[in-house]
Amino acid sequence: MANIIDGKLIAAELKKSCLDRAQRLIRDGIIPKLDVIIVGDDPASHQYVNSRADDCKAIGMDSTVHVLPTNTVQSELIELIEGLNNDSSVHGILLQMPLPKHMNSEEVIAHISMEKDVDGLHPANIGALVSGKPAFAPCTPCSIMQLIKSTGVDITGKNAVVVGRSNVVGRPAAMLLLKENATVTICHSRTSVLKEHTLNADILVAAVGAPRLITGDMVKPGAVVIDAGINRENGKTVGDVDFESVQHIAGYISPVPGGVGPVTRTILLMNTLEACERLHGRI
Ligand code: NAP
């Protein structure tokens, strides 16, 4: 039977270390601050950004949520971003996606200061990640790496298979695994026989958005299986991994819910603290 990777427990431990880091800065008169921008009135997105602001406040950090109406013109949004770039009391900027259809997301993201881009979306941060240099990476792939590392399994030399190649999850997860010296295969919707690849994985990451796509017969015995999928099915949240069958084959498995999700939230705090420490010359 697989060991269950407890995302809530890992998140609680990471949060404790965030609290220590935040308190150290606050003692020196520096209040780490994350500013969040949301355009539009999607209730789920509002709930998401407000909970991120609450996470900051819970450990003594500061956070402002900037709410803009759906019909905001792109230049106004860019003006706000540039104001935050120049505001030395702001250390991290989170721009909630998606933006309204009349905006060009890539153009807007490029205006976020790379040093404050704690969600790892800026092209310069993506470029640094691809070239194996230190950079802010998107929070979900960072969370995936935390879960893998929590198992104590040495990543170097392992076959890692990432199913999914989106810019926010699959692709950056593959880059982070490569940085840690795994031999990485990326699978996607055009992969001809998915099982041929997944059966070879010592570390298997599912980031697809297809309920229970990965079944026990697709998993190498003893593998580390990380499920980033979030799917709603019959009123329940399920992952991309068929937990029932895979738990009998894998060595480690992250559940959904309670795996990648809770740690992802904490990564945003960690990245904002890192941005603050860098901007104040602490690291
Ligand atoms: P996405 O942009 O829709 O990308 C899905 C990827 O899966 C694409 O690369 C797609 O291939 C691939 N794919 C689709 N069907 C496939 C199949 N049958 N076999 C192999 N590959 C297949 O989704 P995303 O934003 O990366 O999100 C992936 C999942 O992670 C979703 O369930 C999402 O809700 C979840 N998520 C979780 C968190 C978290 O914190 N836990 C955060 C963000 C997202 P193509 O490129 O060929 O289309």
Side-chain angles (χ1 to χ4, degrees), residues 204-249:
L204 177 60
V205 175
V208 178
R212 290 188 297 276
L213 176 75
I214 307 293
T215 47
D217 60 316
M218 297 168 77
V219 173
K220 181 176 177 179
V224 177
V225 179
I226 307 294
D227 188 354
I230 303 175
N231 310 289
R232 291 298 288 174
E233 205 184 53
N234 304 325
K236 279 176 68 181
T237 302
V238 299
D240 292 342
V241 173
D242 178 37
F243 191 89
E244 282 311 308
S245 62
V246 173
Q247 66 174 332
H248 300 291
I249 313 292

Side-chain angles (χ1 to χ4, degrees), residues 52-101:
R52 293 316 182 261
D54 292 344
D55 286 349
C56 290
K57 289 171 187 163
I59 62 162
M61 290 167 56
D62 196 3
S63 183
T64 299
V65 179
H66 304 265
V67 181
L68 302 181
T70 311
N71 62 0
T72 302
V73 291
Q74 183 167 309
S75 57
E76 279 176 58
L77 173 58
I78 290 172
E79 209 173 298
L80 170 62
I81 290 171
E82 287 184 339
L84 300 179
N85 287 344
N86 295 326
D87 181 343
S88 60
S89 73
V90 175
H91 307 102
I93 301 172
L94 173 71
L95 177 63
Q96 176 66 11
M97 293 290 160
L99 294 176
K101 287 196 173 56

